[in-house]
Amino acid sequence: MWDDAFPSFLIGLREGLEAGLIVSILVATLVRAGAKSRLPQVWTGVLAAIALAMSFGAVLTFTAASMSGTAQEAFGGTLSVIAVAFVTAMVFWMRRSARSLSGEIKEKVTGALAMGAGMLVVTSFLAVGREGLETALFLWTTARAAGESAGPMIGAGIGIVLAAGLCWGLYRRVLKINLTKFFTATGAVLIVIAAGVLGYGLRDLQEGGVLPGKTAYAVDLSQSIDPGAWYSTLVQGVFNLTPTMTWLQVVAYAGYLGVVMTLFVRGVRTAAVKPAKPAESAKAAEPAAEGEPAGMPVGPAADGKPAEGTRPEAPVRRRPAWVIPAAVVAVPAVVAGAVVAFGGSKPADAQTVAVSEKECGKGFTAPKPGRQTFQMHNTGDKASEVYLIDPASNAVYGEIEGLAPGTTRDLVATVAGGSYAWRCVPTGGKAVTSASVRVSGGAAGKAVVPVSEADLAAPLTAYKQYVNQGLTTLVAQTKQLSDDIAGGNLDAARTDWLTAHRTYASLGAAYGTFQDFDKKINGRTAGLPDGVSDKDFTGFHRVEYGLWHGQSASDLAAPAARLAEDVTGLQKAFPAQDFDPADLPLRTHEILENTLQFELTGDADQGSGTTLATADANLAGTRELLGVLRPLLASRDAQLLPRADADIDRVQKLLDSAHHDQSWTPVDKLDTTGRARLNGATGQLLEDLAPVPDLLEIRKSA
């Protein structure tokens, strides 16, 4: 949990200390001026600022909860970028102002005292409120990045409590901290963290469709780094660096870090050699102790009397002490409540619909045509799936999976003319369908006709035949490769290696079914302690490395023979392996997703420079898979297949342009324009294939 807690701990500590110092200076200045009766006004402003920050956090949370998934990504990404801007400004402001903070605050307090009680409340409110809003925004973005982890809130709480203790110690002169050095050090760390938040925010904007390039990966270390390891979790939690990052994320991260850190360090060096201004020294009430900010006030005089020369306070009219604090604290809460109530999580006309075996659809009445939000509440004792369906055809208009007992989630669907019912499918229970209602008006709604295992039986049989034929061919090809190497003919081995590897790559949809054989046959060096020298580095890429790195035939004979043995073992085992029908729709998208991450980046290359040939084989495998699924897809989305076919032809032409006789252009030798076109065309194909898993998802029926 600490990996998620650290960024929030740091922001809580830093912002809490910054706000706490301001409050300490306000309080100490009033005490030294003999104006203790004005302290409630300071605390009123502080409470109002805290209420504003908490209300702001509530508005962010409930506003985001009412949005669709895509809108939430865009909303969260936008706020992440704004949070980075605020934190960056805060870091530079504190670096510049740490030395003179005390004098500036005391000037404001003196002016507020002269202008009356209201101005003192406003002064403390504005001084603390800015820190509170920055903290709320930054904590919201880090908490969202951490998902369901409680780490960010725990870290922030610890940081704020520690900051309060430090401020109390400073006020009582127990502690001596060089605040300039403190804010410089934490500022540098926050710049690094903010760079990660910026990358995370831009990724959200890509996922939300606001920015392009969500499949244009600059780096993918998911095969080289264990995402569950403690170091991976720590780096991702603290710095928001993930094993897979797009070009936009990488460029933004490096650009922000390079520019902002350079300006920050340059400013620190300038401040270090710049002499203190005489006016700043004159503002101090007394010489500062070593390591304290200039003019840091101390506690009251020993006799508790007003300082000499201080004018006694004029009598003021008494009112109940709680009136003003209650009013200023209530205002942000009331405003936030109004925002949530009228623009927040639940539309005024949203229906609450029960989900369970006994009460499926209870509370459902005929809605009006248009986009509707239904509050789905699980009243049973089992987690459940729930579908909004056309009872006549079982077509699905909307769904929620994994609705836990006692919880409520929104289901958003567009309702038009037709019949509607709810289907509740409790885990381990029987599917139940509610009574149907009829909606009049509007055109027929768009729904997805559900797919059963029986529907996928024929495509699965056809694809298994394709894989069996491919494995038969592959056995012969790897045997020839092994014979080439055993006979010392390495030139022929290089040609035959590529032929065999392309055959294996064209069987992409079966990778998940091959079980451990895939790692033996086509595994990479990911996670291997000794990399290419590791004893567990086997298969095509081990042979590739040796063939293109000058290893002798005797060095490669054993790896090549083992590859042939593993392929033969796979051919024998495949007919008895469990091939999940649901894998077919998933692999339609995943084959080329892996291509974009590994082959088109060159990460899979072990020296042959033939990753574009492998990409060509992956494209052939995708085309074969679409062929067996074509009848099911054509009846569910008439436009998807023509778009996908056109995209495949576009990618094929770009790959063909890199194929010259028996050789392929290495991906890193492509010109910038050609590489961008290939990545863009593949990304577009991925976008158009993305709906396939949803269209052909196996859904339970009553």
Side-chain angles (χ1 to χ4, degrees):
M1 189 178 294
W2 176 244
D3 52 299
D4 291 329
F6 179 73
S8 298
F9 165 77
L10 187 63
I11 197 70
L13 174 62
R14 183 189 170 96
E15 292 287 275
L17 185 58
E18 187 176 338
L21 282 173
I22 292 172
V23 174
S24 298
I25 294 169
L26 286 170
V27 172
T29 303
L30 289 174
V31 170
R32 288 181 60 83
K36 283 186 175 182
S37 61
R38 300 290 188 90
L39 289 178
Q41 297 159 12
V42 173
W43 296 120
T44 296
V46 171
L47 289 174
I50 294 173
L52 177 66
M54 296 180 68
S55 300
F56 180 54
V59 169
L60 292 178
T61 301
F62 287 103
T63 301
S66 66
M67 298 177 176
S68 65
T70 301
Q72 285 187 30
E73 298 287 356
F75 181 71
T78 301
L79 290 181
S80 294
V81 174
I82 294 173
V84 170
F86 275 127
V87 170
T88 305
M90 175 267 292
V91 165
F92 280 90
W93 179 81
M94 242 358 247
R95 185 210 67 197
R96 183 177 64 252
S97 304
R99 293 174 178 270
S100 58
L101 181 64
S102 177
E104 293 178 5
I105 295 297
K106 286 198 293 182
E107 285 183 0
K108 294 179 180 179
V109 173
T110 302
L113 281 171
M115 297 180 68
M119 283 306 299
L120 194 56
V121 172
V122 171
T123 299
S124 58
F125 171 78
L126 293 177
V128 179
R130 184 179 69 89
E131 320 304 332
L133 291 176
E134 289 177 354
T135 304
L137 181 57
F138 199 80
L139 290 181
W140 187 86
T141 57
T142 54
R144 187 173 181 275
E148 297 181 358
S149 172
M153 293 300 101
I154 294 175
I158 294 174
I160 292 172
V161 169
L162 181 58
L166 290 172
C167 290
W168 174 253
L170 284 169
Y171 176 76
R172 303 300 299 176
R173 296 184 63 87
V174 175
L175 300 175
K176 294 181 180 180
I177 296 178
N178 189 318
L179 294 174
T180 300
K181 292 182 178 180
F182 173 84
F183 284 119
T184 298
T186 57
V189 176
L190 275 178
I191 288 173
V192 176
I193 292 175
V197 174
L198 177 62
Y200 173 84
L202 293 176
R203 179 59 179 170
D204 273 355
L205 290 174
Q206 289 178 313
E207 293 288 348
V210 177
L211 296 176
K214 76 174 185 178
T215 57
Y217 296 104
V219 60
D220 190 322
L221 304 177
S222 57
Q223 298 297 314
S224 305
I225 297 176
D226 180 6
W230 67 268
Y231 53 85
S232 300
T233 307
L234 181 65
V235 170
Q236 184 167 342
V238 175
F239 302 111
N240 271 308
L241 290 176
T242 58
T244 303
M245 297 182 71
T246 64
W247 279 105
L248 179 61
Q249 286 180 280
V250 171
V251 171
Y253 182 91
Y256 173 89
L257 196 59
V259 173
V260 176
M261 188 65 79
T262 300
L263 294 175
F264 182 78
V265 172
R266 183 180 299 170
V268 170
R269 291 175 177 174
T270 303
V273 299
K274 187 177 180 179
K277 295 180 180 180
E280 291 180 356
S281 301
K283 291 179 183 178
E286 61 182 31
E290 183 180 356
E292 292 185 351
M296 180 69 187
V298 297
D303 57 4
K305 296 180 180 180
E308 184 178 353
T310 303
R311 186 173 59 188
E313 296 183 73
V316 295
R317 186 174 60 183
R318 298 292 180 182
R319 64 170 62 89
W322 56 269
V323 172
I324 293 180
V328 297
V329 171
V331 167
V334 170
V335 172
V339 171
V340 171
F342 294 103
S345 60
K346 181 178 179 179
D349 57 350
Q351 296 184 27
T352 298
V353 182
V355 179
S356 69
E357 288 180 283
K358 296 181 179 180
E359 298 183 315
C360 184
K362 182 179 179 180
F364 181 46
T365 59
K368 296 178 181 179
R371 187 175 177 83
Q372 300 293 334
T373 299
F374 301 96
Q375 300 270 303
M376 309 308 299
H377 179 62
N378 190 338
T379 60
D381 57 0
K382 300 175 183 177
S384 182
E385 300 175 9
V386 59
Y387 307 102
L388 179 62
I389 65 169
D390 178 346
S393 64
N394 288 323
V396 177
Y397 294 93
E399 65 185 283
I400 292 178
E401 297 180 356
L403 183 62
T407 61
T408 301
R409 285 164 58 186
D410 288 352
L411 187 151
V412 180
T414 300
V415 176
S419 296
Y420 296 85
W422 294 101
R423 175 161 296 147
C424 306
V425 188
T427 301
K430 182 181 179 181
V432 179
T433 302
S434 73
S436 63
V437 299
R438 182 75 186 175
V439 176
S440 301
K446 184 178 181 181
V448 176
V449 179
V451 172
S452 66
E453 290 192 17
D455 294 326
L456 286 171
L460 182 60
T461 299
Y463 197 79
K464 281 185 174 181
Q465 293 175 352
Y466 167 76
V467 173
N468 277 320
Q469 293 172 0
L471 289 175
T472 300
T473 302
L474 186 63
V475 167
Q477 291 172 342
T478 53
K479 177 66 167 59
Q480 181 62 51
L481 171 62
S482 180
D483 290 345
D484 291 341
I485 292 176
N489 191 349
L490 297 186
D491 288 336
R494 294 185 184 95
T495 300
D496 290 338
W497 175 90
L498 181 57
T499 301
H501 191 242
R502 281 169 52 81
T503 298
Y504 185 80
S506 68
L507 309 178
Y511 289 167
T513 306
F514 290 167
Q515 299 173 358
D516 292 338
F517 282 103
D518 182 54
K519 185 176 181 180
K520 296 176 183 178
I521 294 172
N522 204 42
R524 299 182 177 88
T525 57
L528 299 180
D530 298 325
V532 295
S533 301
D534 198 280
K535 60 182 179 60
D536 292 327
F537 181 38
T538 62
F540 278 111
H541 292 296
R542 168 65 184 91
V543 176
E544 177 191 11
Y545 180 83
L547 286 173
W548 276 273
H549 282 84
Q551 292 186 351
S552 65
S554 59
D555 293 330
L556 290 172
R562 181 176 176 181
L563 171 61
E565 291 173 3
D566 288 335
V567 169
T568 301
L570 173 60
Q571 183 195 31
K572 294 178 179 178
F574 178 71
Q577 289 178 332
D578 182 23
F579 200 138
D580 187 349
D583 282 351
L584 289 179
L586 288 173
R587 298 294 185 266
T588 307
H589 182 266
E590 289 178 351
I591 295 173
L592 289 177
E593 191 172 59
N594 289 336
T595 302
L596 191 61
Q597 295 179 23
F598 301 120
E599 275 73 35
L600 297 190
T601 60
D603 286 351
D605 186 21
Q606 289 294 340
S608 67
T610 60
T611 57
L612 291 183
T614 306
D616 181 71
N618 289 339
L619 187 65
T622 301
R623 187 184 289 108
E624 179 68 27
L625 191 54
L626 280 176
V628 300
L629 295 174
R630 187 171 292 270
L632 294 176
L633 290 171
S635 63
R636 286 163 175 81
D637 189 339
Q639 301 301 318
L640 186 148
L641 287 172
R643 289 197 304 268
D645 290 340
D647 291 338
I648 288 175
D649 291 342
R650 188 179 304 113
V651 175
Q652 187 67 68
K653 289 179 181 178
L654 292 170
L655 289 172
D656 289 344
S657 67
H659 187 200
H660 311 285
D661 297 327
Q662 299 300 315
S663 65
W664 289 81
T665 303
V667 67
D668 59 352
K669 300 300 183 182
L670 292 175
D671 61 80
T672 303
T673 302
R675 190 167 182 176
R677 286 177 179 171
L678 180 57
N679 287 334
T682 307
Q684 183 60 54
L685 175 54
L686 277 170
E687 292 285 346
D688 289 337
L689 292 176
V692 172
D694 288 334
L695 290 172
L696 302 185
E697 180 183 357
I698 297 176
R699 294 177 170 90
K700 298 178 183 179
S701 60

